[in-house]
Amino acid sequence: MIHPQPPSAQGPRGAYAKTAARRREIVEVATGLFAREGYRSVTMLQVANACGVSRTGLLHHFPTKESLLEEVLHAREETDAHRLDHLDRSRIDAVTALADLVALIEHNTTIPAIINLYAVLSAEAADPTHPAHAYFVERYAGYSRALTADFERARADGTLAAGVDPARFAVELIALMDGLQVQWLLDPRIDMVGMVRERIQSALTVPLPRA
């Protein structure tokens, strides 16, 4: 009786798995380099050397540095989606959604390299010619829309404090979170999670639960 080869054996499936693993390795290495040195300061040759592959080998997986950056950002978005964005926020009450946001910030304190990556790239991407400019414009717009919707639902539920404007508060909260992230990177003693929790709580009329 002939048994099929296991997935790890050489062949189409084994080759695919090997290629996927190599791509993940490259993305992880590039993530660290972009976080430490910024996108524009890092060269593809530097990434290749750090991965132990030739520049030609790197270009086989990622033909341009822009395509590599796109995959780095996509990988991080997928990770966050597994923790928070997979939830249909419209199906949970606003206070629970906001508690989930605090929980995500708390989780992010365990991955400072990723916080640093976004701090560095978002600053670089203020330049309209940066390849991640459109990504960060939409990222901030998306966060603003989602938080505005949360606070509007809180107002409809009667849990939003009087005088709080959902859209303005959403923008202020994003600015607070970003500013605290930079300060926390410089001084981890700063209670980033506690300060964000307190600011959200100030806009609510009910206690903010711990997710």
Side-chain angles (χ1 to χ4, degrees):
M1 180 177 182
I2 299 176
H3 297 280
Q5 288 184 315
S8 58
Q10 289 300 317
R13 293 179 64 187
Y16 176 82
K18 187 175 181 180
T19 298
R22 174 62 77 181
R23 284 177 61 89
R24 286 195 300 270
E25 178 189 1
I26 293 170
V27 168
E28 289 175 4
V29 169
T31 296
L33 289 172
F34 291 162
R36 290 193 300 273
E37 302 181 32
Y39 168 79
R40 284 182 164 157
S41 297
V42 174
T43 67
M44 290 293 270
L45 180 58
Q46 187 177 353
V47 175
N49 289 339
C51 293
V53 300
S54 67
R55 190 173 187 277
T56 301
L58 174 62
L59 295 179
H60 171 73
H61 296 285
F62 298 100
T64 65
K65 192 165 74 160
E66 289 81 1
S67 66
L68 177 56
L69 174 62
E70 181 179 344
E71 187 61 27
V72 166
L73 295 173
H74 177 69
R76 296 319 312 169
E77 288 294 328
E78 281 194 335
T79 299
D80 283 351
H82 283 302
R83 293 196 55 82
L84 181 63
D85 293 341
H86 68 285
L87 295 175
D88 184 347
R89 297 172 74 83
S90 66
R91 293 181 179 275
I92 57 178
D93 65 87
V95 174
T96 300
L98 293 168
D100 286 342
L101 173 63
V102 175
L104 179 60
I105 294 171
E106 186 168 13
H107 165 72
N108 285 346
T109 63
T110 68
I111 47 174
I114 301 306
I115 293 181
N116 195 69
L117 172 71
Y118 277 92
V120 170
L121 289 182
S122 62
E124 284 188 336
D127 181 350
T129 66
H130 193 283
H133 178 77
Y135 169 86
F136 278 99
V137 168
E138 178 52 35
R139 179 179 174 85
Y140 278 105
Y143 277 166
S144 182
R145 288 192 298 267
L147 285 173
T148 297
D150 286 340
F151 289 117
E152 285 177 343
R153 288 190 295 118
R155 181 168 59 187
D157 294 340
T159 57
L160 189 68
V164 175
D165 179 272
R168 287 181 63 89
F169 194 83
V171 173
E172 292 172 8
L173 185 59
I174 292 169
L176 174 66
M177 291 188 293
D178 276 12
L180 282 173
Q181 283 184 348
V182 173
Q183 294 185 66
W184 179 81
L185 286 168
L186 297 170
D187 182 1
R189 294 173 299 177
I190 291 176
D191 184 10
M192 175 170 59
V193 178
M195 290 181 180
V196 172
R197 171 177 284 277
E198 288 173 7
R199 188 65 182 125
I200 294 176
Q201 182 63 75
S202 73
L204 302 175
T205 61
V206 296
L208 185 67
R210 296 192 176 275

